Amino acid sequence: MLAPALAARLRTVVGADGLVTRPESLRVYECDGYTLERAVPELVVLPRSPAEVSAVLRLLAADRISFVPRGAGTGLAGGTLPVEAPVMICTSRMQVIEAIDVENRRIVVQAGVVNQWVTNAVRAHGLCYAPDPSSQPACTIGGNVAENSGGPHTLKYGVTTNHVLGVELALPSGDLVALGGAVEDRPGYDLVGLVVGGEGTLGIVTRATLRLVRAPEAFRTLLAVFDSVDAASDAVSGIIAAGVVPAALEMMDRLIVAAVEAAFRIGLPTDAGAVLLVELDGPAVGLDAQAERVASVCRGSGVREIRVARDEAERAALWKCRKRAFGAVGRLAPNYCTQDGVVPRTRVPDIVRRIAAAAERHRLRIANVFHAGDGNIHPILLYDERDPDEVVRVLAAGREILEACVALGGSLTGEHGIGVEKRGLMPLLFSPDDLLVMSRLREVFDPERRANPHKVLPDAKVCVETRTPRRQAAM
Ligand SMILES: Cc1cc2nc3c(=O)[nH]c(=O)nc-3n(C[C@H](O)[C@H](O)[C@H](O)COP(=O)(O)OP(=O)(O)OC[C@H]3O[C@@H](n4cnc5c(N)ncnc54)[C@H](O)[C@@H]3O)c2cc1C
């Protein structure tokens, strides 16, 4: 239990409205987008500035109290679950866009700025921030940096790490350190690269300097309808082999198409085996030729129908379906768990078969949405949390799918991170020596391991059952 005096001291830093202490309000923070496990923090602190984050961390350091960073709570791997960390530090009030440098194409934002706001702020200058997770109307830049987030357009533009020039990090001691900065290619170790994807285990990102890119002049957005996932996967490989690099190459299977169509009614074919959403962007000249090349490859793979968005409204409707696909899943089941793994692009048909086999073996329904161009799969395992046996089967199937990704030459996560959910699987990818080196690296930033404890790295000292649903308390 936290000492009541601590809350009083924190209040002097963040004000009375900067602390959440009432049990019913704390319930809001019991989980993020990974709802299989829940634990309520003892206290949530809402700083308004990097200086307040620093002051809060100094108070926690004095009492050696562990903490969990949180942005918008849209994470899908349980990264914000408080495990042996009574205090949650939430950046949602740190919303200032501090500087826009149009000439040099960069922007400095505080950690709680929402992803979509960055592009909104620079659109008038013909610029945009390229990483576009489907959660972009809600997720924060701090969360994106912590998770090294991707999105549908990362096939062409890269993930968050390719767009972060510098960060300010509040170390668990409370010290603020500036890593990287406005200039590219700085000498020395790539410490920004270490913090991006650090999942809050190295400290709290308070500010980030982001690279902006020129907004594309024109788009061609195609919807290709196939009878099977195999045929659609064949087209994906064919498009890349033809030398076309689409900005986005997304696949949705029959189950998800049915849910999306029920939600948005834009005339998607609910009897299709799979649909591909292909977006080409860049200078207007040449886009039609590229679109024809894509269509030709799709025809060679047995496409049933191809639609090309005729205007911005039709393009927006297609993207609405894809980006809100997760929301539409609520029509299929009371609960769902979104898995995130990667396989080499050519192994997409294999992993889809393995997912189907896991669904059958565990008597589950699994829908598939994925960034097919990257081989980044997102099987969505449907369940009802009131059925404990089904929850156990979901966990077993999820684990099998990730094991299959690794066996096929892929990885445990494409963009959602390891969090609490997958840390027990890290030994599938890394040797004990690898994990020890990572652990020592972490201790350089956080010698007492108080920043987001029990995340990312398996803990040699504590025996953790990572597959117990509904972890309610500290382990
Ligand atoms: C509908 C939906 C669609 C999604 N689509 C995508 C997608 O297309 N691509 C993708 O990559 N992800 C996607 N996600 C996952 C999620 O949105 C991203 O991981 C996002 O970056 C999380 O941001 P957040 O602000 O919500 O962070 P949170 O969920 O609050 O936190 C995520 C992790 O980051 C840490 N953290 C948060 N803020 C900080 C900080 N300032 N400093 C240090 N650590 C911090 C937390 O401790 C936690 O470990 C999706 C999620 C949903 C619900």
Side-chain angles (χ1 to χ4, degrees):
M1 278 286 283
L2 291 171
L6 177 70
R9 286 197 294 272
L10 289 168
R11 203 170 283 119
T12 63
V13 175
V14 294
D17 62 347
L19 280 193
V20 181
T21 53
R22 291 156 60 109
E24 63 274 26
S25 304
L26 288 169
R27 287 296 292 266
V28 171
Y29 300 89
E30 68 174 5
C31 66
D32 49 26
Y34 176 69
T35 58
L36 274 162
E37 303 187 54
R38 296 176 199 186
V40 180
E42 287 186 43
L43 191 68
V44 176
V45 190
L46 302 162
R48 281 191 188 276
S49 66
E52 286 190 8
V53 174
S54 166
V56 166
L57 287 175
R58 281 191 202 289
L59 287 175
L60 298 185
D63 291 347
R64 304 179 76 176
I65 292 168
S66 300
F67 60 91
V68 190
R70 178 171 163 128
T74 66
L76 291 168
T80 64
L81 191 78
V83 184
E84 285 187 356
V87 176
M88 181 175 280
I89 301 175
C90 185
T91 62
S92 56
R93 297 203 303 179
M94 294 169 58
Q95 300 184 345
V96 180
I97 294 179
E98 297 185 342
I100 300 176
D101 181 348
V102 174
E103 283 77 20
N104 292 301
R105 293 194 189 161
R106 37 183 203 235
I107 186 167
V108 182
V109 300
Q110 291 184 354
V113 166
V114 168
N115 174 299
Q116 179 72 68
W117 300 350
V118 180
T119 290
N120 290 352
V122 297
R123 187 177 284 118
H125 303 288
L127 300 174
C128 69
Y129 177 59
D132 65 333
S134 301
S135 53
Q136 69 181 154
C139 64
T140 65
I141 292 298
N144 292 176
V145 171
E147 297 290 10
N148 190 17
S149 295
H153 290 86
T154 52
L155 176 60
K156 179 170 174 182
Y157 292 98
V159 292
T160 298
T161 195
N162 305 113
H163 299 271
V164 178
L165 294 165
V167 293
E168 180 185 74
L169 184 72
L171 295 171
S173 61
D175 291 342
L176 290 172
V177 293
L179 307 175
V183 182
E184 310 245 359
D185 297 330
R186 296 164 76 93
Y189 297 115
D190 180 8
L191 298 179
V192 177
L194 193 60
V195 171
V196 178
E199 300 194 35
T201 61
L202 306 177
I204 298 190
V205 173
T206 46
R207 290 188 170 95
T209 303
L210 307 175
R211 177 183 288 119
L212 301 169
V213 298
R214 186 194 280 272
E217 182 189 343
F219 301 93
R220 294 291 179 278
T221 307
L222 296 84
L223 186 83
V225 182
F226 294 87
D227 286 328
S228 69
V229 170
D230 270 9
S233 305
D234 189 53
V236 169
S237 295
I239 291 167
I240 304 286
V244 181
V245 183
L249 190 41
E250 300 284 302
M251 197 187 300
M252 296 190 277
D253 76 358
R254 185 191 304 251
L255 198 49
I256 199 79
V257 166
V260 160
E261 179 56 19
F264 304 115
R265 304 210 173 278
I266 68 155
L268 293 178
T270 50
D271 61 339
V275 301
L276 278 186
L277 184 59
V278 189
E279 182 152 281
L280 304 158
D281 71 7
V285 175
L287 276 189
D288 284 332
Q290 281 187 50
E292 180 42 43
R293 218 174 317 154
V294 167
S296 158
V297 171
C298 289
R299 283 193 288 275
S301 301
V303 73
R304 200 167 89 184
E305 181 193 349
I306 297 183
R307 295 182 204 169
V308 183
R310 281 168 299 188
D311 51 31
E312 187 49 37
E314 285 192 5
R315 172 175 177 252
L318 290 176
W319 275 114
K320 183 172 162 188
C321 289
R322 167 60 190 92
K323 292 211 168 186
R324 300 205 186 159
F326 290 115
V329 172
R331 294 172 174 265
L332 299 177
N335 303 90
Y336 65 90
C337 176
T338 306
Q339 264 305 350
D340 165 47
V342 185
V343 292
R345 191 166 44 232
T346 50
R347 308 307 299 266
V348 165
D350 299 304
I351 192 67
V352 170
R353 273 191 284 277
R354 302 259 194 126
I355 293 169
E360 198 175 325
R361 197 166 35 256
H362 294 285
R363 291 173 286 120
L364 295 169
R365 285 185 306 153
I366 304 182
N368 286 290
V369 187
F370 35 97
H371 307 309
D374 299 318
N376 182 187
I377 58 156
H378 289 323
I380 302 173
L381 295 87
L382 308 174
Y383 69 100
D384 183 339
E385 68 177 3
R386 293 164 297 188
D387 178 348
D389 179 60
E390 195 169 48
V391 172
V392 170
R393 284 184 277 125
V394 163
L395 289 164
R399 184 185 171 100
E400 280 177 27
I401 291 167
L402 291 172
E403 286 170 346
C405 287
V406 174
L408 290 168
S411 171
L412 296 172
T413 172
E415 54 183 17
H416 296 170
I418 297 296
V420 76
E421 181 195 12
K422 301 180 193 172
R423 66 186 209 127
L425 298 178
M426 288 286 270
L428 289 178
L429 275 182
F430 298 104
S431 71
D433 283 348
D434 294 336
L435 293 169
L436 187 62
V437 170
M438 288 189 224
S439 176
R440 289 191 178 150
L441 202 52
R442 173 180 181 174
E443 283 170 8
V444 171
F445 290 76
D446 181 17
E448 297 172 327
R449 300 174 76 94
R450 290 185 297 105
N452 218 0
H454 304 295
K455 305 289 165 59
V456 186
L457 300 176
D459 195 333
K461 297 182 198 127
V462 183
C463 180
V464 178
E465 174 50 82
T466 54
R467 296 174 61 207
T468 305
R470 290 305 200 99
R471 172 167 22 220
Q472 297 285 4
M475 294 176 293

